[in-house]
Amino acid sequence: MRVKSFYALSSRQLDKRINVFLEDSRIDIVDIKFSATLFYIAAMVVYRDR
């Protein structure tokens, strides 16, 4: 299992970054965790290589 962390100042930016990562068809998503602070939004994608 592996993880990839993302952060952005807006949800639109975060969505875009995660979607680009998810376009890689060589991974299987296990889980996605979100966190938000006053200044930014973050997400951690847990995945497996195929």
Side-chain angles (χ1 to χ4, degrees), residues 1-18:
M1 238 183 287
R2 301 186 71 152
V3 298
K4 175 75 174 171
S5 299
F6 299 91
Y7 70 94
L9 298 176
S10 71
S11 59
R12 180 178 288 169
Q13 288 176 335
L14 184 64
D15 291 345
K16 190 176 204 180
R17 291 176 184 168
I18 292 173

Side-chain angles (χ1 to χ4, degrees), residues 1-7 14 17-22 24 27 29 31-34 42-49:
M1 238 183 287
R2 301 186 71 152
V3 298
K4 175 75 174 171
S5 299
F6 299 91
Y7 70 94
L14 184 64
R17 291 176 184 168
I18 292 173
N19 285 331
V20 167
F21 178 74
L22 295 178
D24 184 354
I27 61 173
I29 302 302
D31 197 8
I32 299 177
K33 304 286 187 188
F34 290 94
M44 179 180 71
V45 177
V46 181
Y47 67 97
R48 287 189 180 107
D49 290 322

